Amino acid sequence: MCCKHCGTISGHPRKDELTTSEAQNLCEQLGEMGVVHVTLSGGEPFLRQDWHSIAEGLIQNNIRTNIISNGWFIDEKIIRLGSEIGLSNIAISIDGCEESHDFIRVKGSFKRIMNALDLLKKSGMRYVVSTCINKRNLKELALLKDILIKKGVHRWQLQLGEATGNLLKHPELILCPSDIGEIIDFAYEVAREGAMSVDLVDNIGYYDVKSTEICGVSAKNKDSGIWGGCQAGKAVIGIRSNGDITPCLSIKDDSFIEGNIRSASLKEIWNRPGAFDWNRKMSRDQLTGFCNKCQYANLCLGGCASLKLTMCHSLYNNDFCIYKVEVEKEMERVKSIDNVQQLVLEAEKLIEEEQLNVAEIYLSRVLEINPDNKKATTLLKSLKKQ
């Protein structure tokens, strides 16, 4: 389809893709390493005639396996095969209402997906939808939600379109940091309605009340929705169709390739000294800008690596963090407050609530008005030690 937001190779297969035998061997390696979950994606995985054999190989190695598809080829045969081998679900990418979706992908795609959803619903096979958000479809999310609910979709994954690959040819579609709040507000309202579950992927967040609550609800069996930082190369890997091992398939830069399964086993690549050290050994001291002084820096380390690389051109700063966006909004609001007592009282309240970055804004404003204010000076010093 050569989708307009595609960040990977599209339109043709790699010349050196893994054979069925090589893929089956890799399934065994993944099983031996205790891998829990594998997603088969693309490109379009159903273009491989052996997709069911590979999926079955993973499932036989006790790995929960699902497929993300553009939906074009999904028919009763594919659904039957997926059900027989035990796929956990089939996820379909839908990128807006009909006109926008077909603009992003290919004419006729939306109608074929609607038919595929009907077939999936009738079959009883679990299915979910994933939407890559851009400037064009951002305002259509509410309409799309209604369509999906009518089609029996119970789980919807939202992610940001990142400025890489084909999307670089369409800068008018690239989102801005100011758009993040609108996406999270929408997802929060959908989650509250309860008609479907909403998942925000790792490039949307972090640490505001709404996204934390959404993640907590979608996680269900986890202790909380607190995001624990990018897991690329820590708990997650990406395996390209030619066997290249990357920290995450969303990271397209070839300089992040850690090896190839044709020249070393997956276990050797994973355990090699120095492997994935750019993330495994990343520290707060490396972060820059707001990320460096953020109260969540040690936990977050700047957020999703792919997002940072594509949208911010750095591994060490993230302008698309909703917490940063909200703190900067509060900074502008506080500039209009001149009541020192009000500012100090609010700062103390924020410290009790562990909103340390926002409390610092209030205290800094106090010292702008009255540089000799001892209470603000003392509180600010205590914050900087935390």
Side-chain angles (χ1 to χ4, degrees):
M1 287 187 178
C2 297
C3 306
K4 290 180 173 63
H5 65 259
C6 184
T8 188
I9 291 174
S10 60
H12 55 84
R14 288 186 173 94
K15 294 180 180 179
D16 57 346
E17 289 191 353
L18 298 177
T19 65
T20 302
S21 176
E22 288 173 322
Q24 290 290 357
N25 178 265
L26 182 55
C27 293
E28 294 177 7
Q29 292 186 51
L30 289 163
E32 289 169 1
M33 290 182 68
V35 170
V36 174
H37 177 221
V38 167
T39 293
L40 297 175
S41 62
E44 174 49 45
F46 289 131
L47 278 170
R48 278 195 66 129
Q49 298 302 305
D50 59 355
W51 69 266
H52 57 286
S53 174
I54 296 170
E56 188 171 27
L58 291 165
I59 294 165
Q60 288 176 347
N61 278 279
N62 300 312
I63 299 170
R64 182 164 49 90
T65 304
N66 76 311
I67 286 181
I68 297 180
S69 168
N70 64 28
W72 187 269
F73 296 106
I74 294 177
D75 56 16
E76 291 174 336
K77 179 181 178 182
I78 280 179
I79 294 170
R80 185 175 66 254
L81 277 172
S83 180
E84 287 173 354
I85 63 178
L87 286 179
S88 62
N89 67 66
I90 292 177
I92 301 180
S93 298
I94 305 180
D95 296 316
C97 296
E98 183 170 4
E99 185 177 343
S100 292
H101 175 89
D102 285 359
F103 168 78
I104 293 293
R105 293 179 177 266
V106 68
K107 189 172 178 59
S109 172
F110 188 85
K111 282 187 169 64
R112 290 182 73 122
I113 286 174
M114 293 300 105
N115 182 62
L117 292 177
D118 289 338
L119 292 174
L120 285 161
K121 184 178 181 180
K122 182 180 178 181
S123 73
M125 176 90 182
R126 291 188 64 192
Y127 57 103
V128 300
V129 165
S130 177
T131 297
C132 187
I133 303 172
N134 57 65
K135 281 284 191 181
R136 176 163 177 154
N137 64 23
L138 177 58
K139 303 299 182 182
E140 300 179 358
L141 294 178
L143 290 173
L144 182 56
K145 177 202 70 173
D146 293 339
I147 293 171
L148 299 182
I149 290 173
K150 289 178 181 177
K151 291 294 180 179
V153 176
H154 297 295
R155 189 172 180 181
W156 190 13
Q157 176 179 283
L158 302 178
Q159 65 187 73
L160 304 185
E162 297 179 1
T164 184
N166 288 346
L167 196 56
L168 289 174
K169 303 172 187 176
H170 301 276
E172 74 281 1
L173 298 178
I174 298 174
L175 296 164
C176 302
S178 58
D179 296 320
I180 306 304
E182 183 176 347
I183 294 168
I184 292 175
D185 285 347
F186 169 77
Y188 182 74
E189 290 304 317
V190 174
R192 287 186 65 189
E193 290 170 3
M196 63 166 57
S197 173
V198 178
D199 294 329
L200 299 177
V201 303
D202 287 349
N203 65 6
I204 302 179
Y206 315 89
Y207 306 113
D208 67 308
V209 173
K210 290 182 179 179
S211 66
T212 298
E213 185 173 328
I214 294 166
C215 291
V217 170
S218 64
K220 289 184 179 177
N221 62 333
K222 297 180 182 179
D223 294 333
S224 72
I226 298 296
W227 194 70
C230 178
Q231 296 302 303
K234 294 180 177 180
V236 174
I237 56 169
I239 305 174
R240 294 182 180 177
S241 58
N242 64 352
D244 284 340
I245 303 301
T246 70
C248 168
L249 282 180
S250 294
I251 298 175
K252 313 302 181 186
D253 188 337
D254 287 352
S255 66
F256 286 86
I257 295 173
E258 294 284 347
N260 188 286
I261 62 141
R262 286 181 170 132
S263 55
S265 71
L266 187 58
K267 187 174 183 178
E268 289 171 332
I269 295 171
W270 181 257
N271 293 324
R272 176 179 58 80
F276 307 99
D277 271 0
W278 63 271
N279 200 27
R280 290 178 179 177
K281 293 187 176 181
M282 187 183 292
S283 69
R284 177 183 189 145
D285 294 339
Q286 294 172 275
L287 302 179
T288 61
F290 178 83
C291 288
N292 177 263
K293 60 182 181 180
C294 177
Q295 69 181 79
Y296 300 107
N298 289 325
L299 183 63
C300 177
L301 294 173
C304 170
S306 173
L307 176 74
K308 291 184 290 184
L309 287 168
T310 58
M311 305 295 265
C312 308
H313 311 293
S314 168
L315 277 172
Y316 308 111
N317 186 50
N318 187 352
D319 294 327
F320 281 76
C321 167
I322 187 60
Y323 182 67
K324 176 179 185 288
V325 171
E326 289 189 347
V327 168
E328 289 178 344
K329 283 182 181 178
E330 190 67 7
M331 189 180 299
E332 289 301 310
R333 193 185 74 82
V334 170
K335 286 179 181 179
S336 64
I337 303 175
D338 296 321
N339 187 316
V340 169
Q341 184 178 6
Q342 176 190 345
L343 289 164
V344 172
L345 288 172
E346 190 63 32
E348 289 177 319
K349 180 182 177 183
L350 288 163
I351 291 171
E352 289 179 6
E353 296 172 351
E354 298 185 343
Q355 294 296 312
L356 307 185
N357 290 114
V358 184
E360 183 178 350
I361 292 171
Y362 279 77
L363 295 172
S364 297
R365 176 59 179 157
V366 171
L367 295 178
E368 283 180 13
I369 300 168
N370 180 8
D372 298 323
N373 189 290
K374 292 182 180 179
K375 186 70 175 285
T377 301
T378 301
L379 290 172
L380 199 54
K381 285 182 179 178
S382 69
L383 282 181
K384 290 182 177 179
K385 290 179 182 179
Q386 295 186 41

